[in-house]
Amino acid sequence: MNANPNPPPWQKDIFQAIKDAGVQQVAYVPDAGHSYVIKSAIADPEITDVVLTTEEEGVAVAAGAWLGGQRAVLLMQSSGVGNCMNMFSLLSAADIPFLTIVTMRGEYAEFNPWQAPMGRATQAAMELMGIHVMRVRRPEDAHEVVSAALDGAFMAGARIAVLIGQDVIGRKKWERN
Amino acid sequence: MDRRLFVARLLAKTPDALVVTGLGSASYDVFAAGDRDHNYYLWGAMGGASSVALGIALAQPTRPVVVITGDGEQMMGIGSLATIAAKSPANLSIVVLDNGHYGETGMQRSHSSLGTDLVAVARGFGIAQVQQLQTVEQADALAEHINARKATTFVQALVHADEPPRALPPRDGPFIKNRFRSALGLQPF
């Protein structure tokens, strides 16, 4: 995780929305786009951070958190969505409230062709498994969209994915000078 | 050892434990020992039992949380042992009923019959309390340990590769979920 001294405001907005909703577990696979939220979750005494070896574990951890009376959010990258497919059935089978925030790869200004197949399939894959997809298209919308998704998940019991577009995150600088 | 006798003895002595079961025979064993409101049975999501239990254990630190699953189910989610070790909730115990076979699909040999040492794997992932049990009577000491909530624990219980009569828990996911939460004093949402 890069210790960015000036995290983008949209990352701060996402963490604030999570805090405002009383989320107590944040499960994640390390990711640059989520780095501020991850670092903040680790530092927050009211939040338990759960670092995963694979994203599908996080689907199950989030379900367990709800069963135990806490709200959880799963942070991942679009490349991890494919790892979760069968585990999503856990959520559908019992109507378990669920929110994942997904940073997108494989779409805007992607330099790595290996990211494209999963990135382009991410939204459809989520929807095939019965998960409602919302998108953050502009950085200034991050708080509103995530906050709305939190309401949908934990007040209406929905299963929701918020996708953060690669154009919001910014071009990945992959050549190290 | 006889899997049903072991599970029944363990659960009889851990009446307050929140129990998550891996799909297949482990679910049948737990249900056969007596249905409880605070049992959460998985019928699918293979590999997810110990991760579900981790989420519960973190949310309910004052309750013992026990996973009862099979060796094949745990192998599918083997990385979850690293995730659990990283948090090490003292109230979480994972009990793998290891018959060395995939009982649900025709008794093919599983990895634990083919060289994998699950106790060594769990220890290698960093789980502090790791042990292998070989007799039904050892359930008593394990139950005491579970009730004390002193350390994250991984247990490999060596059971016979037989198939006791099926005892099928409810498959209604929302019912099981709401019943489980209700037993903890929680609303549906």
Side-chain angles (χ1 to χ4, degrees):
Chain A
M1 194 185 340
N2 293 326
N4 184 349
N6 297 305
W10 63 267
Q11 290 196 21
K12 290 186 166 183
D13 291 344
I14 289 176
F15 186 70
Q16 194 58 50
I18 288 172
K19 278 295 288 179
D20 291 346
V23 169
Q24 289 171 280
Q25 293 190 35
V26 173
Y28 63 97
V29 172
D31 170 58
H34 288 308
S35 61
Y36 176 82
V37 180
I38 292 168
K39 192 166 59 176
S40 304
I42 292 169
D44 192 319
E46 293 173 339
I47 293 179
T48 302
D49 69 289
V50 182
V51 61
L52 310 164
T53 69
T54 177
E55 292 81 359
E56 65 193 284
E57 289 171 14
V59 176
V61 167
W66 178 255
L67 288 168
Q70 291 190 343
R71 296 176 174 187
V73 168
L74 169 60
L75 308 176
M76 62 174 151
Q77 211 176 65
S78 53
S79 44
V81 170
N83 295 348
C84 299
M85 297 306 285
N86 184 52
M87 203 58 73
F88 284 147
S89 63
L90 176 65
L91 308 174
S92 306
D95 284 344
I96 291 178
F98 175 73
L99 176 63
T100 181
I101 305 174
V102 181
T103 53
M104 293 301 294
R105 295 291 306 270
E107 41 178 37
Y108 181 80
E110 176 61 63
F111 76 96
N112 181 354
W114 294 54
Q115 295 286 350
M118 195 62 239
R120 288 176 189 159
T122 293
Q123 178 160 352
M126 289 281 191
E127 289 170 347
L128 268 175
M129 292 309 292
I131 294 171
H132 177 57
V133 172
M134 300 171 72
R135 277 190 173 260
V136 174
R137 299 181 189 282
R138 302 182 306 160
E140 56 268 36
D141 295 341
H143 186 277
E144 175 59 25
V145 174
V146 171
S147 169
L150 284 156
D151 281 0
F154 297 115
M155 298 179 76
R159 288 160 294 289
I160 300 180
V162 173
L163 309 188
I164 315 284
Q166 214 164 348
D167 44 353
V168 171
I169 299 162
R171 296 183 183 222
K172 190 176 175 71
K173 293 184 180 64
W174 61 284
E175 286 176 322
R176 295 179 194 276
N177 297 318
Chain B
M1 70 173 92
D2 181 290
R3 55 188 305 149
R4 289 272 163 96
L5 291 178
F6 174 76
V7 169
R9 189 153 169 164
L10 181 67
L11 294 180
K13 298 190 176 204
T14 53
D16 296 328
L18 308 175
V19 179
V20 178
T21 70
L23 79 171
S25 299
S27 280
Y28 314 151
D29 295 342
V30 170
F31 182 71
D35 195 18
R36 312 201 284 200
D37 289 351
H38 44 287
N39 287 350
Y40 193 76
Y41 307 103
L42 295 188
W43 274 92
M46 187 167 173
S50 54
S51 293
V52 169
L54 173 61
I56 296 171
L58 294 173
Q60 292 283 333
T62 64
R63 295 287 293 262
V65 179
V66 179
V67 181
I68 297 184
T69 190
D71 49 297
E73 202 275 344
Q74 187 59 60
M75 279 297 295
M76 188 172 279
I78 199 70
S80 65
L81 297 181
T83 299
I84 286 166
K87 299 315 292 183
S88 285
N91 57 331
L92 177 57
S93 301
I94 300 151
V95 178
V96 174
L97 304 173
D98 190 349
N99 66 358
H101 292 76
Y102 290 97
E104 193 71 10
T105 53
M107 281 291 168
Q108 300 89 348
R109 286 197 294 167
S110 69
H111 295 75
S112 63
S113 289
L114 299 166
T116 298
D117 177 345
L118 280 174
V119 163
V121 168
R123 185 179 292 119
F125 272 126
I127 295 179
Q129 289 280 329
V130 177
Q131 60 183 138
Q132 184 189 77
L133 302 186
Q134 301 187 21
T135 69
V136 170
E137 291 71 29
Q138 288 176 296
D140 297 354
L142 175 60
E144 274 185 43
H145 179 78
I146 287 169
N147 292 333
R149 296 181 285 117
K150 279 188 182 161
T152 310
T153 301
F154 179 92
V155 171
Q156 179 194 35
L158 299 182
V159 299
H160 300 310
D162 56 0
E163 286 189 276
R166 292 206 167 162
L168 305 182
R171 293 190 299 282
D172 182 336
F175 166 72
I176 296 291
K177 172 195 66 174
N178 290 331
R179 186 178 72 161
F180 185 92
R181 281 175 54 91
S182 177
L184 292 172
L186 301 165
Q187 298 298 312
F189 58 74

